[in-house]
Amino acid sequence: MESVDMKSPCVKCSKGCGITTCNGCQQAYCIDHFNQHRQELAIEVESLDQKHDLFRNNLDRKFTEHPLLLQINQWQQDAVNTIQMIAETARTLLRKLLDQTKNEIEKSIKNLADELRSSRECDDYTEIDIKKWTGQLRMLRKTIESPPTILITENETLVMPLISVHNQASTFATENFANHTATVENSTHPSERFDQIVGKAITSEECRVITCNTWFVSYPTIYGSGRYSSGAHRLDYQIEKIGNSPIFFGITSSLESVRDNDENATSIHG
Ligand SMILES: [Zn+2]
Ligand SMILES: [Zn+2]
């Protein structure tokens, strides 16, 4: 706060003299209206804080209830449904075949029992009949004990789309957030390229173009490939697209180790 010319009236009431100026808006206020101005700012900050909280909650929800997660869930459900349907169809068919075999055996047993009973009642059986019945019984036992004639084959191909997740980092960056794109252009050193990257950035066109996503909290540091020990050198960069954070161009010693957050480095010039 600084005192102002006594002639400057308060911007709010024009009656009292502005005795103080707000450093932010450069307006003069009387003491009452200055306090009121401060309160208005406090309300604004409070509302910003609430908006921030809201954004934070939305962010959490957006990432935990991501539509792609729902897509994977749906795929899983569809796949499970398909497999359950195939298994149920196979079970139904197998039950039908097993019942059919069981019915045939039961029918044969009943026929044999009927024949035995009637022969005993008539008392007209001979060794030939006994031999025949023994043979029939052996055959039935063999039918039960022998391995089943039903087979399960697994050679049919199940046509089901398989899914996988890919990170299309460059597309993601281009479509959703403001980027910086810089290109090495017409320099006196045509071999100059973007070289080592600390942080998140993508090179393209044989390392002549660099794109970095300014959405990420930490800024990437991108080093050029050339090393220059003396003389004047011209390196031209064309900024094709500028994001909403500053770009810094500078030179540093190649003896300095590559590091993150070079804005704090003492030996960088630019
Ligand atoms: Zn102000
Ligand atoms: Zn006033």
Side-chain angles (χ1 to χ4, degrees):
M1 280 177 273
E2 62 188 66
S3 61
V4 293
D5 191 328
M6 288 298 281
K7 285 170 190 163
S8 298
C10 166
V11 289
K12 288 285 178 182
C13 60
S14 311
K15 290 173 200 160
C17 283
I19 57 151
T20 188
T21 304
C22 170
N23 262 340
C25 60
Q26 305 297 331
Q27 304 268 36
Y29 294 96
C30 69
I31 194 73
D32 286 348
H33 283 116
F34 181 73
N35 289 338
Q36 191 191 322
H37 182 55
R38 291 300 304 165
Q39 262 169 23
E40 282 164 3
L41 290 184
I43 290 166
E44 221 172 300
V45 169
E46 172 73 26
S47 122
L48 213 59
D49 204 34
Q50 284 168 1
K51 278 179 191 160
H52 168 266
D53 284 348
L54 198 70
F55 176 75
R56 174 82 244 166
N57 293 339
N58 282 345
L59 184 75
D60 286 346
R61 208 169 42 243
K62 228 177 164 58
F63 279 76
T64 48
E65 298 168 16
H66 198 278
L68 290 176
L69 282 175
L70 301 180
Q71 194 184 330
I72 294 175
N73 293 351
Q74 187 58 52
W75 175 85
Q76 183 187 359
Q77 195 53 55
D78 291 348
V80 167
N81 288 348
T82 306
I83 290 179
Q84 277 177 342
M85 201 182 70
I86 293 169
E88 193 48 46
T89 307
R91 262 193 297 270
T92 308
L93 189 64
L94 181 63
R95 246 182 249 124
K96 207 169 143 191
L97 289 170
L98 289 174
D99 285 351
Q100 206 176 316
T101 311
K102 193 178 163 226
N103 288 343
E104 279 167 14
I105 293 170
E106 276 174 350
K107 212 164 118 188
S108 302
I109 290 170
K110 192 177 176 295
N111 287 346
L112 181 62
D114 288 349
E115 216 177 313
L116 277 171
R117 198 178 52 246
S118 77
S119 290
R120 275 165 80 181
E121 276 167 12
C122 301
D123 200 11
D124 62 350
Y125 50 85
T126 64
E127 288 89 340
I128 298 164
D129 295 312
I130 294 173
K131 200 179 168 188
K132 187 184 82 183
W133 295 328
T134 310
Q136 280 177 352
L137 206 60
R138 197 188 302 124
M139 279 298 288
L140 286 173
R141 194 176 296 128
K142 222 170 157 186
T143 309
I144 298 170
E145 285 167 2
S146 63
T149 52
I150 305 164
L151 289 176
I152 290 177
T153 53
E154 292 183 5
N155 54 1
E156 281 192 54
T157 314
L158 173 61
V159 182
M160 193 165 64
L162 294 178
I163 58 165
S164 54
V165 178
H166 305 277
N167 186 11
Q168 292 180 302
S170 54
T171 321
F172 173 75
T174 314
E175 285 178 357
N176 294 289
F177 304 105
N179 301 305
H180 295 312
T181 306
T183 316
V184 189
E185 286 268 316
N186 308 320
S187 299
T188 49
H189 298 275
S191 63
E192 184 65 51
R193 295 284 185 274
F194 292 114
D195 189 22
Q196 201 146 7
I197 299 169
V198 182
K200 287 181 194 296
I202 302 148
T203 53
S204 55
E205 294 181 31
E206 294 172 335
C207 295
R208 287 181 61 250
V209 175
I210 190 100
T211 302
C212 55
N213 190 326
T214 60
W215 182 70
F216 292 106
V217 178
S218 63
Y219 300 114
T221 305
I222 301 110
Y223 292 85
S225 59
R227 301 286 180 271
Y228 308 95
S229 54
S230 62
H233 304 273
R234 204 186 96 194
L235 297 174
D236 292 345
Y237 293 93
Q238 182 187 318
I239 298 165
E240 293 180 1
K241 203 169 157 194
I242 190 153
N244 46 16
S245 55
I247 302 180
F248 175 84
F249 287 94
I251 53 166
T252 189
S253 166
S254 63
L255 299 173
E256 286 281 323
S257 55
V258 168
R259 66 182 138 195
D260 204 353
N261 259 334
D262 243 342
E263 66 218 47
N264 302 322
T266 48
S267 65
I268 196 158
H269 303 277

